[in-house]
Amino acid sequence: MEPMDIVGKSKEDVSLPKATMFKIIKEMLPPDVRVARDAQDLLVECCVEFINLISSESNEVCSREEKRTIAPEHVLKALEVLGFGEYIEEVYAAYEQHKLDTLDSPKGVKFSGADMTEEEAVAEQQRMFAEARARMNNGVSNTQQQQKRSDSDPS
């Protein structure tokens, strides 16, 4: 992708929060594995490129249907067109869960966290991270994955 491929933005302006991405990367790996900073940066860049690819294809699907707003169905179709069909079920399940999670909150109102303590918010965040990891690992917990790795380790 060229530096000005994203409308009105240079490549440097389009990124993901690195601290959050580094935390996700760290949580997905066993505790004894370290990742070099340049490898972390590369993973973040890959994520940005993946989002750009899905967004672009979603826009194409939307345009072919003569719609002006990209809908979740367009994103799911884009995944299929781009060869990521095996992820559609999991992505759709995450989308359905998101709808359930946001059903009670009025649209346009951001979560303030005022109704929970910082400790409760951190605990809730950790629970949500654990659920996301479990979904990413097809329901296999991090502990089970580490056990499988240690069982197959010949040393």
Side-chain angles (χ1 to χ4, degrees):
M1 179 170 282
E2 294 300 317
M4 292 300 285
D5 277 355
I6 301 160
V7 179
K9 301 278 186 180
S10 70
K11 189 173 182 179
E12 292 77 30
D13 292 338
V14 180
S15 188
L16 295 168
K18 287 190 176 188
T20 303
M21 295 300 297
F22 294 165
K23 183 175 181 175
I24 291 169
I25 292 166
K26 183 178 178 182
E27 288 179 353
M28 294 304 297
L29 298 172
D32 60 330
V33 173
R34 295 180 54 197
V35 181
R37 179 63 109 195
D38 58 342
Q40 290 177 349
D41 290 339
L42 180 60
L43 284 168
V44 170
E45 288 301 316
C46 289
C47 291
V48 169
E49 289 300 320
F50 180 75
I51 291 168
N52 288 334
L53 178 67
I54 298 297
S55 299
S56 177
E57 186 61 37
S58 298
N59 185 48
E60 291 293 322
V61 170
C62 181
S63 294
R64 282 193 297 268
E65 293 182 8
E66 299 180 359
K67 304 286 184 181
R68 296 183 60 188
T69 303
I70 296 173
E73 298 77 31
H74 299 134
V75 176
L76 296 172
K77 180 66 176 172
L79 287 169
E80 182 181 321
V81 168
L82 293 169
F84 296 105
E86 64 197 57
Y87 298 104
I88 291 174
E89 187 175 319
E90 194 171 338
V91 169
Y92 186 75
Y95 168 63
E96 288 296 317
Q97 185 61 49
H98 169 75
K99 286 194 318 189
L100 290 174
D101 292 345
T102 58
L103 189 61
D104 295 333
S105 64
K107 291 190 184 259
V109 176
K110 292 191 176 188
F111 173 72
S112 67
D115 57 345
M116 68 172 76
T117 67
E118 184 174 339
E119 293 82 19
E120 291 171 330
V122 168
E124 178 65 10
Q125 181 183 37
Q126 294 303 317
R127 182 191 65 75
M128 289 167 38
F129 279 141
E131 285 178 3
R133 276 192 302 275
R135 284 193 305 269
M136 290 289 295
N137 297 320
N138 294 323
V140 178
S141 73
N142 229 4
T143 308
Q144 290 171 326
Q145 279 192 327
Q146 290 171 2
Q147 182 63 38
K148 284 181 185 177
R149 284 186 187 114
S150 65
D151 289 346
S152 63
D153 187 9
S155 54

